[in-house]
Amino acid sequence: NKSFSNLALLTEYATVCGNVGISNVKPILELLLDAGASFTQVDSANMTCWHHLAMISDHLEWNALPVFLEVAKDRVPDLKFLAFDTIDSTRQTPLYIATLLGNSKSVERLLSSGASPFFDEEKWSQMEENMHPSSMYPGRDIKESSMLRCPIAMAAALADTSSLRAYCNFDKSLANSIVKIPSA
């Protein structure tokens, strides 16, 4: 059984309904938040609305990410509390998903809103400890697993110059990030 938060369902609505849907997103989002919905709520795959938003192509004019970020900035005093760095059941953050899909505008928006571009070993270990045991997945190769901690490495591996530019514009020191790949 899969479950989805109302905010995640709203992202799907916006995607499916296009221009008609995007005009309704802000008032519906505000109504849901007024009634107690949370940006930090996770679904059965441990995904927040940010994970779902990161999957929407930057090429669609009705991408709902800017609307969600605008409302979040108006309502949440510290954007660090928006769960941008939540790891889903496949150990992916919203920023990693946006990078993997080549959504460089989403990468830029998430970074400027507080998503972490790199997790040191201690932070990553803490995040993994908080994951449900069933979400630890076999089958990922060690190299890809290591890139989860540093999405700029994934952008480099994919030769995605737009996403790389977003990372380097955010913080030039990220160009010198080192991803340790343990030997098998």
Side-chain angles (χ1 to χ4, degrees), residues 105-175:
K105 289 178 187 172
S106 294
V107 167
E108 187 177 315
R109 289 175 178 129
L110 288 166
L111 285 169
S112 68
S113 297
S116 181
F118 183 81
F119 300 105
D120 62 30
E121 194 65 44
E122 181 181 340
K123 174 72 172 165
W124 186 254
S125 295
Q126 288 173 348
M127 291 169 71
E128 283 190 323
E129 284 174 18
N130 293 329
M131 290 176 58
H132 188 275
S134 66
S135 62
M136 301 303 270
Y137 60 96
R140 277 256 164 101
D141 73 21
I142 294 169
K143 182 178 177 183
E144 184 180 356
S145 180
S146 297
M147 285 186 201
L148 291 169
R149 286 185 33 228
C150 185
I152 190 175
M154 178 58 70
L158 295 171
D160 179 357
T161 56
S162 296
S163 291
L164 283 168
R165 189 173 295 108
Y167 282 103
C168 292
N169 287 341
F170 174 74
D171 180 355
K172 289 188 184 341
S173 71
L174 291 172

Side-chain angles (χ1 to χ4, degrees), residues 25-64:
V25 169
K26 187 174 181 180
I28 294 170
L29 179 57
E30 289 173 336
L31 177 72
L32 289 170
L33 292 170
D34 288 343
S38 171
F39 289 112
T40 61
Q41 185 178 9
V42 295
D43 61 22
S44 57
N46 206 52
M47 294 173 74
T48 64
C49 62
W50 306 114
H51 289 85
H52 293 277
L53 289 161
M55 291 182 219
I56 300 172
S57 173
D58 285 341
H59 302 293
L60 297 176
E61 61 185 85
W62 56 83
N63 185 325

